[in-house]
Amino acid sequence: MAHSDPSSSTRGATRRPGTLWVVATPIGHLDDLGARARHLLGTVPVIAAEDTRTSRRLVEGRSGNVTWLSLHEHNESHAASRVLDRLAAGDDVALVSDAGTPLISDPGYRLVGEARRQGFPVSPVPGPCAAIAALSAGGLPTDRFSFQGFPPARAAARRARFESLAGATETLVFYVPARDLPGVLSDMASAFGTERAAVVARELTKQFETIRDGGLGALAEWVSGDPDQQRGEAVVLVEGAAGKAASDIDARRLARELAAELPPARAARVLARVTGLSRREAFDEIERLRADERGD
C-alpha cells in the first residue's frame, strides 16, 4: 500500500487518516539509519519515542517543526490515545524505540494493535535489529530460531525458564544487560549443559563490539573474569538441543548407569546436561527406570 509523503498536506473537506510508521533506528552506529527512515524522521509531523532525549539525535538539523510524544512501557496506554488522536486528525506519526526495531522487546505493540483495530494504516520501515544482527554473525543455525526476549531478573525464575527450554531444538535468542551476563551464562550452563554451543554478541555495531562463541561453561568463565564484558548490552544465542529421538536414546542408555551410581536428583542433572533433556524430563526418565527395576 502506497502512502503520500508525510510532509505533504491533504486539501479538501475530509483529510485522510494519518499513517503510523514503525521506524527501525540504529542499535549503535548512527550510519545504519536508512535513507527512507532518515527522510521520514526529517519530515513526519509527530514522533512517538521511548526516550525523546535519546531519539532527538536522529533528527539533528531538521528544519521543519516536529511534535514529540513520549511513549514507553510505563505510559503506553495513556500515550497511545494521544497518538491515535493525531492519526485521526490526519497526522502521520513515526514510532521509534531507543534503538533497533520497535516492539522487539520494546514498547509499542498495544499502540500498533489498537491502531490496526481502528483502521489506521500501519507501515514498517525496516532496519537494524539486535537479534537478527547477532544471528547473522553468530554462526549458529538460523533455519529455525526462537526469540525469548529478556530472561527473568530473579534467579529462581530465570533458572526455571532455562530448564523449560533445555529440550528446545531451535536456536534460542536472548537479550541480556551485560552486567547480568555472569549469572545468566552460569544458569544457562546449568540448565543447558556446559558444553552447549553459544554465542555472546555484546555492544553490536559499537566501538567495543565483541562476538565470541564457545561452550556455555567456558563463556561464563570468560565473562566472569573480564569486567569489560559486563558493560553495555548483549545478545546471547544458544544452540538448540539434539533431536528428541536422539535424546530419548541417550536417556535410556545412560539413565540406568546413572541411577545406579548417583542419587536421583544428581543423576537427573547429569542426564540433562548430556542429552539436552530438561531436568524434569531427565528426572522422570530415571524414576521410570528405577520403578521398573523395583517392579512397581
Side-chain angles (χ1 to χ4, degrees):
M1 182 185 299
H3 301 291
S4 62
D5 187 311
S7 64
S8 64
S9 61
T10 303
R11 292 179 172 80
T14 303
R15 298 188 66 185
R16 67 165 178 86
T19 295
L20 177 61
W21 301 92
V22 184
V23 182
T25 59
I27 58 177
H29 202 300
L30 289 179
D31 286 348
D32 290 336
L33 184 66
R36 184 163 170 249
R38 190 180 302 278
H39 172 72
L40 275 163
L41 294 177
T43 55
V44 76
V46 182
I47 300 177
E50 186 177 5
D51 186 330
T52 58
R53 295 168 300 178
T54 299
S55 298
R56 286 179 192 274
R57 62 185 178 146
L58 300 173
V59 296
E60 289 179 356
R62 173 175 167 158
S63 57
N65 292 329
V66 59
T67 298
W68 289 90
L69 300 178
S70 175
L71 187 148
H72 49 75
E73 62 176 329
H74 302 296
N75 78 342
E76 184 172 352
S77 296
H78 171 70
S81 64
R82 297 177 63 195
V83 173
L84 295 169
D85 287 345
R86 297 301 296 259
L87 294 172
D91 291 327
D92 282 8
V93 179
L95 172 66
V96 298
S97 62
D98 284 351
T101 301
L103 280 72
I104 309 303
S105 277
D106 278 326
Y109 81 90
R110 294 182 182 86
L111 167 62
V112 169
E114 189 57 33
R116 295 188 62 82
R117 281 189 289 274
Q118 294 192 22
F120 294 113
V122 179
S123 186
V125 182
C129 174
I132 301 302
L135 283 165
S136 72
L140 293 184
T142 56
D143 54 334
R144 292 175 61 240
F145 60 88
S146 174
F147 178 65
Q148 296 293 321
F150 289 92
R154 295 175 64 89
R158 186 170 66 226
R159 293 184 192 115
R161 169 78 64 81
F162 293 159
E163 288 181 7
S164 74
L165 294 169
T169 56
E170 68 273 20
T171 297
L172 302 174
V173 184
F174 299 89
Y175 282 172
V176 181
R179 66 178 181 274
D180 296 337
L181 279 172
V184 168
L185 291 170
S186 177
D187 289 342
M188 285 180 170
S190 178
F192 301 135
T194 57
E195 300 304 315
R196 181 79 73 90
V199 175
V200 174
R202 188 185 65 88
E203 293 292 88
L204 288 171
T205 78
K206 299 177 184 177
Q207 180 179 2
F208 297 106
E209 173 183 278
T210 305
I211 303 175
R212 180 154 174 162
D213 61 272
L216 280 166
L219 289 173
E221 291 182 8
W222 166 64
V223 167
S224 295
D226 186 351
D228 286 340
Q229 301 307 320
Q230 300 169 33
R231 304 180 186 209
E233 302 293 333
V235 182
V236 177
L237 311 177
V238 180
E239 187 173 32
K244 187 171 178 57
S247 296
D248 287 345
I249 293 171
D250 288 340
R252 286 193 295 270
R253 184 176 301 155
L254 292 173
R256 289 186 181 87
E257 295 297 324
L258 291 171
E261 299 294 333
L262 297 172
R266 291 183 62 190
R269 282 199 296 271
V270 175
L271 187 62
R273 291 173 185 169
V274 172
T275 64
L277 292 172
S278 69
R279 285 191 182 177
R280 171 53 58 187
E281 291 171 332
F283 188 86
D284 290 345
E285 179 68 15
I286 288 174
E287 286 298 285
R288 281 195 295 271
L289 290 171
R290 288 164 59 88
D292 288 345
E293 290 178 359
R294 293 193 304 266
D296 295 352

